[in-house]
Amino acid sequence: AGTAFKPFGTTIAGAGYVTGSDISAGNVAGGVVNVAQSFKTTNSSYHPVSGKQNNSYTQGTRMVVPWNMTKINGNVTSWGYLISCWDCHSPPVAPTTLTMTVTAHGAAAVNAMRGNPTVPTPASAPVATTNEATLCKVCHAGYDSSTINNHGVGSAFSSSTNNGMSIYLNYACNYCHSSLGYLNAAGTAVRPVRAQDVHGVNALPTAQQGTRTGRWATGADKRPYAFIRNTYMLQNHEPLSIGGTTYTKQCSGVNATSPCSNSMGSYTAGGTY
């Protein structure tokens, strides 16, 4: 009884998989994830599969070979490389550069990804080589080796924050960069919205935002830039500028059951989009 939107004849009951949603393929309630919607180049954030990206902070020393072309920080007119599905969807032992599909028909691994995309939720402090998120650092460099409480030189996050965040910055990318890296406002662990968190998105997942309307709290272009997703821990994220408009550049968090301090220390957000 399968269809294009429910190829295995099953209905997904997760939050957001409803008629008219960008999450569900074909806007069919309970359909599979609409991956094409996540990769649209008109989204405020997307990985460059359907089209190239101009995020100048993912370049040079902040990227692993062969994705490390050189750009100038803040320059949104230079475009990077395209990537393929198998840059992420292949076994951890696969070579860096692939010239054929390796998991399209199946794979021996239970989760045929180059790395683990998340730290268990909720979780104790993540630890290198045991429960860290490893998928992101397959392409993004220098994040798991930083000894300071920010992402370091060359990133859009190069000033200090609360010291308690340091270990999460190194080993738990999903705590900030997924729709629910830790707990929601009710203190309940909820599964992140998979493809939208990693592939790209143009609005915040409704299930995680409480009373929000799907955008960040302030600014004229209230969209989730910089792949920031966690609206519980990071409630007022804004980059330095979007399309030439200067913003408040903030990233305040909350203090309850969270590695963030309420003020995020002396953090000043960066990033030009």
Side-chain angles (χ1 to χ4, degrees), residues 38 40 42-47 53 196 199-202 224-229:
S38 300
K40 287 176 63 175
T42 53
N43 287 346
S44 60
S45 63
Y46 61 91
H47 270 104
Q53 252 292 19
Q196 291 208 10
H199 294 159
V201 72
N202 215 35
Y225 283 86
F227 273 98
I228 296 293
R229 296 283 182 275

Side-chain angles (χ1 to χ4, degrees), residues 62 146 148 150-159:
R62 304 313 311 227
S146 175
I148 54 179
N150 58 71
H151 279 334
V153 177
S155 75
F157 179 11
S158 57
S159 64

Side-chain angles (χ1 to χ4, degrees), residues 45-203:
S45 63
Y46 61 91
H47 270 104
V49 174
S50 295
K52 295 181 178 182
Q53 252 292 19
N54 64 343
N55 183 341
S56 63
Y57 293 93
T58 54
Q59 56 91 20
T61 59
R62 304 313 311 227
M63 297 297 290
V64 176
V65 177
W67 301 285
N68 62 332
M69 70 177 297
T70 300
K71 302 181 188 179
I72 298 173
N73 285 160
N75 176 10
V76 297
T77 61
S78 60
W79 299 85
Y81 299 122
L82 286 172
I83 65 175
S84 80
C85 302
W86 289 276
D87 285 332
C88 293
H89 294 275
S90 57
V93 296
T96 301
T97 302
L98 295 175
T99 57
M100 64 186 74
T101 63
V102 292
T103 58
H105 296 146
V110 175
N111 182 16
M113 302 288 291
R114 286 187 185 267
N116 174 24
T118 62
V119 170
T121 306
S124 57
V127 180
T129 72
T130 57
N131 68 333
E132 64 176 312
T134 56
L135 177 61
C136 303
K137 67 180 186 180
V138 171
C139 297
H140 297 273
Y143 295 91
D144 61 326
S145 59
S146 175
T147 58
I148 54 179
N149 56 349
N150 58 71
H151 279 334
V153 177
S155 75
F157 179 11
S158 57
S159 64
S160 62
T161 65
N162 173 261
N163 287 331
M165 290 183 64
S166 298
I167 193 155
Y168 298 91
L169 294 174
N170 285 352
Y171 307 127
C173 309
N174 63 298
Y175 271 45
C176 296
H177 295 285
S178 70
S179 55
L180 192 63
Y182 198 61
L183 301 174
N184 63 13
T188 305
V190 180
R191 175 180 181 229
V193 179
R194 296 291 175 163
Q196 291 208 10
D197 287 334
V198 179
H199 294 159
V201 72
N202 215 35

